[in-house]
Structures are given as C-alpha cells and as structure tokens.
Amino acid sequence: MSFVSPLFLWYFMPAILIAVVVLPRGWRNGIVAIGSLIFYATGAGAFTLLLLICMVVNYLAGPALEPDPWNLRPQRQRRWLLIGVVAFDLSILLVWKYAGFATEQIAWFTQLFGGDFPIVELALPIGISFFTFHHISYVVDIYRGERPALRNPVSFGTYISMFPQLAAGPIVRYHEIADQLPQRRSHRLDDIAAGFPRFALGLCKKAVIADSLSPMVDACFSTPAEDMTFAIAWLGAIGYTLQLYFDFSGYSDMAIGLARMLGFRLPENFARPYSSVTVTEFWRRWHMSLSRWFRDYVYIPLGGNRGGAAKTYRNLWIVFLLTGFWHGAAWTYVVWGAYHGILLVVERSTGWSASPKTPGAVIGRRALTLVLVIFGWVFFRAPDLGYAFTMLGNMLLPDFTGLTEAVEAAVTNQRLVLLLGAMAVFFLPAHPVTGPLLESSRTTPAMVLRVTVMTIGALYAAILVATGTFSPFLYYQF
C-alpha cells in the first residue's frame, strides 16, 4: 500500500486516525501496531512473516542486553549476545537483498574458466533495509545503556512497524523515540491539525512534481547509449535530481506528518540539500536520518576522526562505500557511494569542507557542489556502469544533436513548466526549511502556505491520485 494510493488516502488513513481519536488513549500503540502490520501485509504479503521473526528475535534479546549494575550478566556475555543479534539482523538483509548480486559475481567469475554457477533470484521484501537498521539501533542503544529495553511487546511493535516510516524511513534511532512510546498523548486533535499540513505538503511534492517528471526522466534514461546526446544527458540528470528529491523528501514529509497526527515526532530527513555549498554540507542535509545512523553505529565505532587524518579518511570512505551498497545490490550504487566518499575526503584534506565567506565564493561553491551531486545521481539512476559513463561523457562533451523523438514526446509543455519551477530549489536559501516552518510557524506567510497546501495543493494532488497517475515511491526499492 502506498501513501499516494486511493486505498490509503480514502480508507486506511481515515480509519486509523478516527480510531486513534475516538478510542481510549491507552489503545494508541495497539491501533498503530496492528494497523502497521496490515499496511505492510498489503504490499509485502508473505514477507510479513519475515518481519515478525526479526521482531521476535530482537524483542526477546532486548532485556538481556541491558547493562547490569549487579554484574549478574557479565559484559562479555552481553557483548557476544549483541554480536549474535546484529549478525542475525545483517544476515537477513544480506540474504534477501544481496544473495542475487553475490551469485551473479561468482557466476561471472566461474564463466571465465568455463564453469557454471546458479544465480539466486529472491524478491526484495519492502522496507527490509529500514527495519533492519531500526532493529540494530534498538539492540545497540540498549547495550550502550542509552535507553532501557521495552517490556511491552505492543510498544516494541509500534516502534519497529510504525507504518509512516516502515517502508522508506526516516530511520528513527531507538533513543530518539523511546520516550514517546509511553501513551501520554492528550491533545489528539491538535496533533492532527499540526501534522496534516505536513502530510499535504509531501503529497503535493510526490503527486504533482515527482510523478509528473517521472515519464520524462524514464525516457532520457531509456535512450540507447548510441543515441545519447548532450541535451538528453543533462535533461535526464537534472530531471532525476529533482524527481528523486521531491519524491523522497515528499515521502519524508508525509511520514513525519502522519506520525505527528498519531502523536509521534519523527526526526527531520531533509533540509534543502541542494542549497549546500560543500558536499560535506550536502550530507548534513540529505537523508539526514541515514547519515546520523551511519555516524552513530559505524563511523564512531570505527574510530571516527580520532587516530589521525589517515584513519579519519579511511573511516569516511568505508562509511560511504557502505552507504552506497545499502541503497542497492549493484555496482552503480557502490561506485556512487565511493564517489561521494572520495569527494568528502578531498574536501576534508584540502580544507574545502569549511563554508566559504564571501558572496562570490558562496555562489561558486554552491554551483560546483550542485554539479558534483548531479554527476553522482547519474550513477545512482543508470542501469549499469557502462551506461552511466556514456551519459557522463555526453554531459561533458557539448553537441547540437538535440532530443530523440521518444524524449521529445515525453517533454510536454506541462512537464517542462514543472521542471523549470522545480529548479527553484537550486536557488533557494538554505533556511528556513519548508517542512518544519509549515508545521509549527505562526507567521503570516506560513499560515498562507499552510492553507494553500491543505486546500488547492492537496485537492489537486488527490485528483491526480484518483486518475491513477501516481507511481511507487523511489525509495521503496531500497
């Protein structure tokens, strides 16, 4: 079930909200947990059992991982239990997400020597990358003593399976939400009033902008390599840069708004990333919950920036290599992650990670950062590395060939206007960020924007959804 499907918008979401408002306050977590499992089962089917197995293992391990002031559970015993549970979580992710990729590489290698090796083909469970990271955060935070284990299975089920963030984030670290799981909610209608504008904003981003750009981007990236031109390459790269942002930030806005309506506050996930003046800053603004997760559970345990420059650069590169691989089992994602890791190392080693001071330097560095990010998105979207390098080559070599007939047919006047309008995010200031402003600000501009989004924007987006023009969120595939 998608947030932009009629089933969700007309039936599921209203039913959950009505139940949370009408039924006793103490039922909230149970309503959310059961509703979330139903939500997941409609899209994942039998894979819901895999999610439940992971939940049972991590829930049972939680109390045994808590620090024991009486030393009845020795540190070594807790450490080995943590290693075992994390290994279990990662093994589920590795098997279901990467077994096919691994066997493809083995098959390719054995063919060099005339051998044959079977390729494993497994369907990817929806949201497996996200609920795996939630489970790891849960057990690690307990082991570190940052929060106690949840004894109530309903509260645990609410944290792991909460439908606003289950399929595509934000990635909520356990210590960020643990204090919200006790059911102390009192101002239920106020929460709905605060969360709905944020949900409507995300719906507009997704249905009005991202989905409208999708056919044009698909046409560009479907162009045969021999027919690729300078214009098609740049149109596809810029179009995908905008499509991905409005699709994923739209999902995050919808998730944050939905959670707020249910009485939860999820962490922010985007903060105008295309306004960054360095790649380092870009990663402080793009998919922030993922960056924070890797910082807390990978970068710092590796040593962080302790131990000298060489180890810091190594840790940065490892983190971004893993970030790329987390997104998908393909060499394009690995290269994309390595590419950003190299950029961050270069910025840190040259001092370019610091923000420039003069207006001219800010404009120049902002333009350079945007171009570097756009180049990276080509790897992210391309079907394979060969196609990515072909496209990048055409982006660097101007020609006057123009567009193919297929791309011209996809570039309608409406999509061209939306593309140009969406490009405004390239020029906006870094602050204020629209989502939080819309949710909490009481200024006149924020009130006008809030009313506009909830009426004209939400109504138009709903019409598009009703006509069947919506598409799955891009991050569902991760």
Side-chain angles (χ1 to χ4, degrees), residues 56-286:
V56 169
V57 171
N58 286 267
Y59 171 73
L60 294 176
L65 288 168
E66 288 182 331
D68 182 9
W70 304 104
N71 201 30
L72 297 178
R73 291 190 301 273
Q75 174 77 4
R76 181 179 178 184
Q77 186 181 32
R78 291 196 308 115
R79 184 185 303 114
W80 279 110
L81 178 60
L82 175 68
I83 291 172
V85 175
V86 171
F88 169 80
D89 292 331
L90 291 177
S91 66
I92 296 294
L93 180 64
L94 291 173
V95 168
W96 290 103
K97 188 169 183 176
Y98 301 104
F101 176 75
T103 54
E104 284 178 4
Q105 310 315 306
I106 297 173
W108 173 82
F109 184 77
T110 55
Q111 286 175 2
L112 297 178
F113 301 95
D116 188 25
F117 191 87
I119 296 177
V120 175
E121 295 183 4
L122 296 174
L124 181 65
I126 297 173
I128 188 171
S129 299
F130 293 91
F131 70 68
T132 297
F133 273 22
H134 283 124
H135 279 128
I136 293 175
S137 172
Y138 175 73
V139 294
V140 171
D141 284 358
I142 293 172
Y143 175 82
R144 291 174 174 174
E146 296 186 14
R147 291 294 187 278
L150 291 169
R151 265 64 179 184
N152 187 329
V154 175
S155 296
F156 176 78
T158 301
Y159 165 55
I160 296 296
S161 67
M162 188 188 301
F163 71 88
Q165 49 80 34
L166 176 59
I171 299 172
V172 185
R173 294 165 295 171
Y174 175 55
H175 65 264
E176 291 179 301
I177 201 171
D179 296 337
Q180 301 180 45
L181 292 171
Q183 302 171 78
R184 305 190 183 103
R185 186 186 186 204
S186 58
H187 304 291
R188 287 176 276 191
L189 293 178
D190 289 347
D191 286 335
I192 292 175
F196 183 73
R198 189 71 181 270
F199 176 84
L201 174 65
L203 180 63
C204 292
K205 284 183 176 181
K206 166 62 176 173
V208 178
I209 302 177
D211 285 353
S212 297
L213 296 177
S214 178
M216 181 180 65
V217 173
D218 290 344
C220 292
F221 279 88
S222 298
T223 302
E226 59 272 16
D227 296 332
M228 183 62 63
T229 67
F230 177 79
I232 294 175
W234 273 103
L235 179 64
I238 293 175
Y240 183 68
T241 297
L242 294 168
Q243 180 200 4
L244 182 62
Y245 168 72
F246 282 99
D247 188 281
F248 192 25
S249 71
Y251 179 94
S252 296
D253 284 327
M254 295 175 80
I256 292 169
L258 280 168
R260 180 63 188 273
M261 286 190 278
L262 296 171
F264 298 98
R265 293 177 180 263
L266 301 187
E268 294 296 329
N269 214 21
F270 287 87
R272 290 196 178 164
Y274 295 146
S275 300
S276 304
V277 295
T278 65
V279 177
T280 302
E281 183 185 359
F282 172 80
W283 278 104
R284 296 191 186 115
R285 294 174 174 272
W286 175 276

Side-chain angles (χ1 to χ4, degrees), residues 6-80:
L7 176 61
F8 181 87
L9 291 174
W10 313 150
Y11 301 102
F12 182 83
M13 183 177 74
I16 293 292
L17 292 177
I18 290 172
V20 168
V21 170
V22 172
L23 295 176
R25 181 179 61 185
W27 291 22
R28 181 197 65 172
N29 285 0
I31 295 168
V32 173
I34 294 172
S36 297
L37 291 175
I38 294 172
F39 172 87
Y40 188 76
T42 59
F47 285 122
T48 307
L49 180 61
L50 180 65
L51 170 62
L52 290 172
I53 292 172
C54 294
M55 289 171 64
V56 169
V57 171
N58 286 267
Y59 171 73
L60 294 176
L65 288 168
E66 288 182 331
D68 182 9
W70 304 104
N71 201 30
L72 297 178
R73 291 190 301 273
Q75 174 77 4
R76 181 179 178 184
Q77 186 181 32
R78 291 196 308 115
R79 184 185 303 114
W80 279 110

